[in-house]
Amino acid sequence: EIAQCLVGSEMCIETGSSAIRRLLLQGNVSEAANCLGYQFFLDGTVVNGYRVGRKIGFPTANLRIGDCEKLVPADGVYAVYVFLGGEKHAGMLSIGYRPTLNNGIDRSIEVHIFNFDADIYNQPMRLAFVCRTRPELKFDSIDELIAQLHKDEAEITAIFHNTAFQVSIIEPFLVYLLKNISFLLFFDKNMLFLFVFSEKALLFAYRKTINSY
């Protein structure tokens, strides 16, 4: 299978699985989504963790992946959508070895779900990746870690706010504009058919782009 996708300003053409794997291992989940046509995701079950996050003001849900062969993106912090019990939430995901907390050789996948407080242990959970905001870092103290987590939260909250604004404001305007232009082309059946097809393609491409942020 050959994948053709836009990476930055250049067209990437290579074997589909190798292109996507390379992007994920680099943490470039937004570009991987461009190749896949959807946001890369991890499925699994919420399990007990070290419970340190709650003590420092950032409670997390730890994911145990159901498929042991599933590729996990590069270590770091990500903006993600969290799917739990049929509901969709915004979250801040950390993948890595938690070097500041001396987590040893255990690689963790833990997500802080915004505006959420419930007992979800042993429940199925899906994490859909939006973008990576930074690599994993080691801090000199817990206080430095907490300060960085607050910065991460603010940055990722802004990402979701901007995405929501684009979907709620720009897309309805785009639909309105396309509908009115198609009305002007009503009397030319050939042009109308061509435009209706282009309209659907434009909206599809727009939504795919929004979902990849």
Side-chain angles (χ1 to χ4, degrees), residues 53-101:
R54 186 170 295 278
K55 296 178 182 178
I56 62 176
F58 290 89
T60 60
N62 289 262
L63 182 74
R64 182 176 62 200
I65 300 174
D67 181 0
C68 62
E69 295 184 358
K70 180 83 169 183
L71 183 83
V72 177
D75 294 346
V77 176
Y78 296 83
V80 295
Y81 286 114
V82 183
F83 295 88
L84 272 168
E87 296 184 349
K88 180 180 180 181
H89 308 271
M92 178 172 73
L93 174 69
S94 174
I95 299 176
Y97 297 91
R98 309 197 307 171
T100 306
L101 302 173

Side-chain angles (χ1 to χ4, degrees), residues 29-42:
V29 293
S30 56
E31 297 293 358
N34 287 339
C35 289
L36 288 166
Y38 59 85
Q39 290 170 332
F40 181 78
F41 61 87
L42 295 174

Side-chain angles (χ1 to χ4, degrees), residues 10 18 24-25 32 58 67 70 76 79 83 90 108 111 120 139 146 154 158 161 165 168 171 184 198-199 205:
E10 299 181 357
S18 65
L24 292 174
L25 291 175
F58 290 89
D67 181 0
K70 180 83 169 183
F83 295 88
S108 63
V111 60
I120 55 175
F139 300 93
I146 294 173
H161 174 76
F165 175 81
S168 63
E171 182 168 345
L184 295 176
S198 300
E199 174 188 349

Side-chain angles (χ1 to χ4, degrees), residues 48-176:
N48 286 315
Y50 292 92
R51 299 180 182 271
V52 176
R54 186 170 295 278
K55 296 178 182 178
I56 62 176
F58 290 89
T60 60
N62 289 262
L63 182 74
R64 182 176 62 200
I65 300 174
D67 181 0
C68 62
E69 295 184 358
K70 180 83 169 183
L71 183 83
V72 177
D75 294 346
V77 176
Y78 296 83
V80 295
Y81 286 114
V82 183
F83 295 88
L84 272 168
E87 296 184 349
K88 180 180 180 181
H89 308 271
M92 178 172 73
L93 174 69
S94 174
I95 299 176
Y97 297 91
R98 309 197 307 171
T100 306
L101 302 173
N102 296 317
N103 201 38
I105 62 173
D106 296 326
R107 192 184 191 204
S108 63
I109 303 171
E110 51 185 329
V111 60
H112 173 64
I113 308 173
F114 297 149
N115 305 311
F116 185 85
D117 184 16
D119 183 358
I120 55 175
Y121 288 114
N122 298 317
Q123 291 191 26
M125 179 171 69
R126 169 173 289 188
L127 303 176
F129 289 75
V130 178
C131 66
R132 184 178 188 233
T133 57
R134 67 170 175 86
E136 183 175 52
L137 301 172
K138 182 176 182 179
F139 300 93
D140 293 331
S141 67
I142 296 295
D143 288 338
E144 286 187 14
L145 170 61
I146 294 173
Q148 180 60 53
L149 290 175
H150 282 291
K151 293 178 182 178
D152 294 335
E153 182 180 37
E155 180 180 359
I156 292 175
T157 298
I159 289 170
F160 284 115
H161 174 76
N162 291 338
T163 301
F165 175 81
Q166 290 168 352
V167 172
S168 63
I169 301 299
I170 300 176
E171 182 168 345
F173 173 75
L174 180 62
V175 172
Y176 175 81

